[in-house]
Amino acid sequence: MSAAAAITVRLNGEEREVAADSSAAQAVDAWRRDPAAPYAVSVNGEHVPRPRLAARALRPGDEIEVWTLRQGG
Amino acid sequence: MAEDADHFAIAGRRLASRLLLGTSRYPSPAALADCVARAGPGLLTVSVRRSAGGGNAFYELLKEAGPPLVPNTAGCRTVAEACRTASMARELLGTNWVKLELIGDDETQAPDPFALVEAAEQLLREDYVVLAYCTEDLALCTRLAPIGSGQGLNHPERLALLRQRLAGSVLVVDAGIGRPSDAAAAMELGYDAVLLNTAVALAREPAPMAAAFRAAVDAGRTAYRAGIMPRHDMAQPSTLAPDIPVERYHPHKETQTQ
Amino acid sequence: MRIGIAGGGLIGRLLAWRCAAAGAEVEVFDAGAAGRCAPAAAGMLAPVAELARASRALHARGMESCRLWPRWLAEEDAAGLCVQRGAWLTAHGRDRGELERVADAIAAKVPDPDEHLIGYAGKELAEMEPALAGFERAYLLPAEGQVLVDEVLELLGGAAARAGVSWRDGAAVEEVGPGRLRAAGTDKRYDWACDCRGLGARPAQQLRAVRGECLHVHCPGLGLRRPTHVLHPRQPVYIVPRPADVYVVGATEIESDDPGPVTVRSALELLGAAYAFNPLLAEGRVVDARVGLRPALPDNEPALRVGDGELALSGMHRHGYLAGPACVSEALAAMGLA
């Protein structure tokens, strides 16, 4: 597979095309709108701490979730 | 005579107030900020969810508000889900505190006690401070001690028993508190704190209601520490001055007619 | 008097038209329809129902707008675009507590509760509004109504042009200062510079986005005549009748900057509420789905700020149609044009 090939992953429920050699950090950074907002990420239902996102290579069909703070009781 | 200082701490951390406040369902962010200012809560609960792509405004507002933020695991149905949510919240907020909620029944939102104990044990091993949201069941709470968070004042006698039996634990009454007198009653029973949300957020005027709850929590706590006179039979008013009508000194009648 | 306006959405159009009608020379700079939220609104005029959450000041602006809309539209022979036969406030039986809570909150704030909140039940309700026959109880809010959003937006654009407003399309304003607008790197001078932008006014205004989604359902035979607020502890919705048997079902309120299409979750919630409202809607057709990012200030209420040769109308949030005319007429007064 060439480095330029694209794979499809899901990010917060929506399908996205990313380069086949992307890391989870790259996909998440491209998606986030406000760099100051706190966040945490899970891949396929498992929490991946932020320092480990760059080393987490994406595979086709990976489910990435970006979470943030919301109102709660 | 000066009263002893009445510090409130959970897991060694001093909290400024025994009134704890949720952040959900206020009319606006500004209204939430007003309520926090009037209530002076010891902590604020928040949830962590999939980001909808919103900005940072809510977090900034809460940070400015001051009290520590404690994430909940609202909506979680399994041990794994709750533990993952706690882990993500820990990174998100930089806190090892978590209000553990595990829903066992969608309709009533009643907690699942078995999963709750399992998740609490796992999180405690991972060095979390767990505020477990449970019913006022004695055996359950004994397993969950030291910290629990109970549901409402439907069974005051059970709450009283629980307080008596778990004297060394931090016990918080959560959910089901509708009016300041409920909060005062929980504090009079010796509970360490109350956690409120909708009773303030959905009041006609949330900010004054926040102030009312603050006063009620203070009143209940002060009364508890002052030592509340045991109940006795008011049908024998032999100690009253004979020329004053009995009704005027009947505290139960007065509270019931409001 | 020369007036420059940043933003050509609902508020920019209203202000441009009224200023030009009052004799001013007006120029509008509009970035284009892409970020516009006005078309995604239902156009409800709900000064009374909003009192459950909003301030008395917003109620007063809403009542004033209810008076201004038909008067202003009549100048263009379009008074029919404002429909005022009242609105309903109701809830399903199990949410009755929520209905009474909201009705009490409104009654405590509205000046004449008996006039503004009229209870109907049973046969009386079914006769008054047959589409609500499945509800035990509802309150009629006689002061309320709606404007027809698409028609009004188009009419306002035309009315502004006929009044002599110059329109600069595709020209996003970069900065608004005292008597000064900067667009495409060039400063333009005016007697008054008015900021009527929505989220485009960030970061100068402390605005956040609140995403709103609504669905348009074509359902001949439902026959609902008045906008209806259906209360629910978590997911309140409204159902607003439009011409030709179309009903607007809305609206979500999500703290989000995401302008993307309606999500499955939101569609499920809105359509679930619509189906529960009246099973006839199950046979309806979803003919449109709209999304808007509402510009909101921290208190969720519109603000008019007046400086020296500059003013800003911002943070309309859910209240553009409700508060717009009143805010615009306050702005005219501030500029000495009233």
Side-chain angles (χ1 to χ4, degrees), chain A residues 20-70:
Chain A
D21 56 358
S22 303
S23 68
Q26 285 169 316
V28 168
D29 288 344
W31 183 84
R32 294 178 66 229
R33 290 192 180 79
D34 186 344
Y39 71 105
V41 177
S42 72
V43 180
N44 300 336
E46 252 177 68
H47 178 207
V48 181
R50 289 198 295 258
R52 297 220 298 266
L53 285 173
R56 174 63 165 84
L58 291 181
R59 290 181 283 271
D62 275 349
E63 299 257 355
I64 307 160
E65 298 253 327
V66 183
W67 282 23
T68 193
L69 182 71
R70 295 281 199 89

Side-chain angles (χ1 to χ4, degrees), chain B residues 25-31 50 52-55 57-58 61 202-205, chain C residues 53 56 98 101 104-105 108-109 208 233-234 254-258 298-300:
Chain B
R25 303 184 67 193
Y26 292 81
S28 69
R50 177 194 274 191
F58 181 60
L61 178 113
L202 296 187
R204 199 173 297 152
E205 302 287 350
Chain C
R53 289 200 282 175
R56 290 187 175 90
E98 181 70 0
R101 182 187 74 78
D104 285 352
K109 273 170 149 180
R208 67 185 208 288
R234 282 182 304 282
I254 301 169
E255 301 281 335
S256 170
D257 276 290
D258 176 0
D299 66 357
N300 288 352

